[in-house]
Amino acid sequence: AFIIALGALVTIIAFFGCCGAIRESQCLLNMYSLCLLVIVVLQILLAIFVFVYNDDIQQAAFRGWDRLWSGRQVSPINQQTIDQIQRAIQCCGNNNPVDYGAIPPASCCSTDAAQCNFIYSYQTGCRPQISHLIQNSSKWIAYMSIAMAVVEVIKKFIFHAILVNFLFFYSSLALFLGAVFHQVFEIAQG
């Protein structure tokens, strides 16, 4: 649902830009520019949020993981969720595979292992793996947000410079042609 809403928003913003350019509507072009400005500001805010609240994001993930881990014996759904997480991020147990006791579950081993035991299981616990994943992902998200914002700002300045030169050239050309036609008209009358 989020991706569909995001796609609809991109379509609406592109509509403002496309229709504004085709109809030469200053209002639609201003709306398009405002939307792009809001997107750039949101990207910068996302990067700041990720840098500032990285530890809080990690603590929230740990709280969720701890809730799952402590309820794994009570609810089979919790154990199924833990199994899916272990397969997805290639980890085993809370801190290491020994957390399961004698034999780790099949989700602790890669799919090509014939039998899951401590030798073939993932050696990293899920808690350290979650920490590593959040640290790496948050930096990547923050740096990409900043990079995209910088590219969009540079693109905006380049487009503006091209547009100003284009308008200046054609306004100068129009003035020149107007003066030539005026002279031709005066000669024809005179």
Side-chain angles (χ1 to χ4, degrees), residues 5-18 28 31-32 35:
L6 190 61
L9 180 66
V10 168
T11 303
I12 291 169
I13 292 171
F15 175 78
F16 288 146
C18 185
L28 286 175
M31 183 64 86
Y32 177 69
C35 289

Side-chain angles (χ1 to χ4, degrees), residues 143-188:
Y143 293 141
M144 288 306 295
S145 294
I146 291 171
M148 288 173 54
V150 167
V151 167
E152 287 174 11
V153 168
I154 290 171
K155 177 184 73 169
K156 180 77 172 163
F157 282 124
I158 290 172
F159 176 73
H160 180 72
I162 291 171
L163 184 62
V164 166
N165 287 333
F166 176 78
L167 293 176
F168 177 74
F169 172 75
Y170 279 105
S171 66
S172 299
L173 182 63
L175 288 174
F176 173 73
L177 290 176
V180 168
F181 285 129
H182 180 70
Q183 290 294 327
V184 170
F185 184 71
E186 282 184 1
I187 292 172

Side-chain angles (χ1 to χ4, degrees), residues 112-123:
D112 58 344
Q115 182 178 350
C116 191
N117 56 36
F118 290 121
I119 296 172
Y120 298 113
S121 70
Y122 302 121
Q123 297 302 310

Side-chain angles (χ1 to χ4, degrees), residues 36-57:
L36 290 182
L37 178 67
V38 167
I39 289 172
V40 169
V41 168
L42 287 175
Q43 286 173 331
I44 292 170
L45 288 176
L46 174 67
I48 292 169
F49 176 80
V50 168
F51 278 128
V52 171
Y53 293 106
N54 190 21
D55 291 336
D56 294 337
I57 294 169

Side-chain angles (χ1 to χ4, degrees), residues 68-76 78-79 82 100:
L68 270 175
W69 185 257
S70 64
R72 75 184 188 285
Q73 302 295 336
V74 179
S75 171
N78 284 359
Q79 186 58 50
I82 290 171
Y100 279 112

